[in-house]
Amino acid sequence: MPATCVVGLQWGDEAKGKIVDLLTKQNDYVIRYNGGANAGHTIVRGGQTFKLSLLPTGVLEPRVTSVIGNGVVVYPPRFLEEVGNLRQAGVSVGANLLVSHHAHVIFPYHLEEERLQEGAAAESAIGTTGRGIGPCYQDKVGRLRGVRVGELLQPALLRERLHRIVPYKNRLLRSLSDDARTFDAEALFQEYAAYGEQMRAHVCDTSEILLNGLAQGKNLLFEAAQGSLLDVDHGTYPYVTSSNSSVAGVWSGSGVPARYLSRVIGIVKAYTTRVGGGPFPTELHDEMGERIRQAGREFGTVTGRPRRCGWLDTVALRYTAALNGVDEIALMLLDVLSVADQISLAVAYECEGQRLERFPADAAQLARCRPIYETLPGWRCDITQVRRFADLPRAARDYVEQVARRVGVPIRLVSVGPDREQTILVSPS
Ligand code: IMP
C-alpha cells in the first residue's frame, strides 16, 4: 500500500484532519499537495485541540515526515506561527517538517489584491477566505511574478525579483482602488529574506525525497485540503478554490507519479456544508439548518464565518466518488444528525422538468437544480459513546447503509465525535 490519499468529497470541512491523524501512524510521510492557509484542520487528541491551516496534520507525529508539496502556496508568517504554536504545545518540529523549494510564496500584496477584487465583485464574489490563495496561484501560472520558496534563500535574486514585481503590484492595486494599500519593495525583501532564513532548515526538493522514500518501500499519505467540489477544474467553477483539491492534484502538487496511489479514502460529512458563494441544492434555510449548524459547530476554522448547512447530496457524492476513484468512504459527524426527527437524502435532481441523476458541475445549471429527496427516520438519541456499528440505533445504521448504497461505495468508518476514540470501524458485510 505505497500511497493513500484522504480527499474531501464535498465543499470542504469534511473533518479530513481526524482521518489523516488516525492513519498517520501507518505511514512514513504525510503530504499536503494543494491549497495553503485557507484550509482549517482541527485535530482533537486526548482532550488537546490543535488547529492547523498550513502544516500537514502529520506534523503532530514527530516520527513521521510531514511535507508541504510544490502544489501548496505558503504564507511564511503563518508557517512560522504554526510551527511556534506547536513547539509551545510541546510538539517537536524540526527535520520532520519539509517544504518544497518549488512551492509558491504568498506576499501581503496577494492578500490586498484579493481583498479589493472580492470587495468589487459584490454579488458575484466567490466568498474566499482572504488568505491570498487565488492571486498567488494566478502569479504562479502567469510565470512573470511568481516567487518560489527556494528563492527566499537566495537574497540577491529575491531582492531583484521583488524590486521588479512590487512596483507592478502597486500600480495594479491603485488601479483597483484609490484606498489600496501599497508596498515597499526593499522592506518586503528584508522581511521575506528573514523568513527564508528561519525556514531554511525545512526547505528542500521534496519530490526527490518522496520518490526515494517510495523506492525504499516507505508509505505515503496524501492529505487534500478543501473538498473536490471546490476543485478548480472539476468543482462548481467559478465558485471554487484555485487548486486541484481532488485527487487530481496529487501528482502535480507533489511530484509523485499517479501510478503509486493505491488507496483513496473519500471523506464525507453526514450532511453538507459550504462556505462562501455558489450553488448548493440541498441547502436548508430553515430552523433545521440552524440546528445542524449549532450541533455541528459549523463555523469556519479559518474565517469564523457561519457555514451554510443542508442535507446530504448523493448526486454530488456519486460524481466526486467517481472523479477521485474512491475505494471507501469515511462518514463523519454522524452524531450531529441526532438533532433531526427525520432526515432527507438527495437522490436525484429536478432540473427544468427533467429528472437528473448526474451532477452538473456547471454552476449555472446546478443553480437551477432542485433536490429530489428520500426521507428516512431520525434516531434522536446521543450516539457519541457508541463504538460498534451494531450498537448504533437501527435508524442510524439504515441511514449509513442507504448512503453507501446510493453512492455505490462502501462506508468503512463512521465518526461520532471529534476525538480519536469516537470512531466506529465498519466491517464489510
Ligand atoms: P479561497 O480558497 O480562499 O480562494 O476560497 C475559494 C472558495 O473556497 C470559497 O468559497 C471558500 O469559502 C472555499 N474554501 C477555501 N478553503 C476552504 C476550506 O478549507 N473549507 C471550506 N471551504 C473552503
Side-chain angles (χ1 to χ4, degrees), residues 11-13 16 38-40 114 126-134 225-227 230 239-242 274-277 302 305 307:
W11 279 291
D13 307 314
K16 296 178 286 294
N38 49 348
E114 181 171 7
I126 292 167
T128 65
T129 57
R131 296 290 170 103
I133 305 294
Q226 294 85 45
L230 289 172
Y239 299 99
V240 293
T241 191
S242 299
R274 176 163 207 172
V275 201
V302 173
R305 289 181 289 181
R307 295 183 185 137

Side-chain angles (χ1 to χ4, degrees), residues 369-391:
C369 290
R370 300 286 161 263
I372 298 172
Y373 285 122
E374 174 179 87
T375 304
L376 291 94
W379 46 91
R380 285 302 249 161
C381 62
D382 180 8
I383 57 169
T384 58
Q385 304 310 316
V386 177
R387 298 292 178 266
R388 288 179 352 145
F389 190 67
D391 295 338

